[in-house]
């Protein structure tokens, strides 16, 4: 079994102590150190002794998402297991895209934690079953949205962005040099193509697909 040199990063001291007590008796795991934020974790990782990190998402100064991005660029061989209270599918999907190796909720049993750690150490990914299913559904939703976006004309995309930036019909007509009726026609087409019920739905779509911040 692969030797695991583990760093644990979490700003909840009780959780840190709990994880350490759960894992310190495992023969293949050496707990190298602990950290309460991403900055501390990076300082420890620079020593070159860590090959596996368990980290939370919500931490001060540098959170788990930012730390994961840095690790994937600078230390791609370090295995990353997120253990968090967050079950939001958008967060999970974002971390999967970043390239983390696993994701568990903090209410997971010790047996599942060990299974996740050992699976990841042996080259597999491990995600809590319900989170993986939610991610799959979200990925399908993103693919569907991307397909819808490809069906929009350049003018429709332009108007969608202006709507998302809270320009009204008259302002959009002025900016794009088209008539009010034409703007309204484009708006109706956008609602139909994107399966949106109202302007709020169009704004949400634009944000989710990266057209606006």
């Amino acid at each position: 079994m692969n030797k695991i040199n583990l760093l644990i990063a979490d700003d909840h001291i009780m959780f840190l102590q709990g994880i350490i007590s759960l894992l310190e008796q495992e023969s293949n795991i050496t707990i190298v150190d602990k950290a309460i934020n991403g900055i501390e974790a990076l300082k420890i990782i620079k020593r070159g002794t860590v090959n596996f990190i368990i980290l939370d998402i919500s931490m001060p100064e540098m959170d788990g998402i930012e730390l994961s991005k840095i690790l994937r660029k600078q230390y791609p061989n370090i295995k990353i297991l997120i253990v968090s209270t967050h079950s939001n599918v958008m967060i999970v999907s974002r971390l999967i895209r970043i390239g983390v190796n696993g994701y568990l909720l903090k209410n997971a049993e010790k047996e599942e934690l060990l299974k996740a750690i050992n699976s990841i150490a042996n080259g597999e990914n491990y995600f809590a079953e319900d989170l993986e299913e939610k991610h799959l559904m979200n990925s399908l939703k993103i693919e569907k949205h991307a397909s819808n976006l490809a069906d929009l004309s350049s003018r429709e995309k332009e108007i969608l962005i202006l709507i998302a930036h809270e320009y009204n019909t008259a302002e959009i007509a002025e900016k794009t040099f088209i008539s009010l009726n034409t703007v309204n026609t484009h708006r109706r087409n956008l609602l139909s193509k994107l399966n949106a019920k109202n302007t709020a739905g169009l704004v949400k779509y634009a944000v989710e697909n990266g057209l606006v911040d």
Side-chain angles (χ1 to χ4, degrees), residues 92-127:
V92 177
S93 295
R94 182 179 180 189
L95 283 160
I96 289 174
R97 290 195 299 272
I98 288 171
V100 303
N101 304 101
Y103 199 115
L104 288 181
L105 296 177
K106 283 189 174 179
N107 60 3
E109 299 288 340
K110 177 184 177 180
E111 290 74 17
E112 186 174 19
L113 175 62
L114 288 173
K115 182 179 179 182
I117 292 171
N118 289 317
S119 296
I120 292 168
N122 288 319
E124 303 173 22
N125 289 336
Y126 190 97
F127 295 88

Side-chain angles (χ1 to χ4, degrees), residues 8-28:
I8 307 167
D10 196 297
D11 64 327
H12 294 93
I13 303 303
M14 289 182 63
F15 179 78
L16 275 176
Q17 293 171 341
I19 288 286
I20 290 170
S21 67
L22 285 175
L23 301 178
E24 61 187 355
Q25 301 302 321
E26 298 298 317
S27 60
N28 65 316

Side-chain angles (χ1 to χ4, degrees), residues 56-76:
D56 192 11
I57 293 174
S58 300
M59 296 185 293
E61 298 188 57
M62 180 189 290
D63 66 21
I65 295 175
E66 186 62 29
L67 177 58
S68 295
K69 288 163 65 177
I70 293 172
L71 292 178
R72 274 295 154 261
K73 290 179 180 178
Q74 298 182 14
Y75 304 93

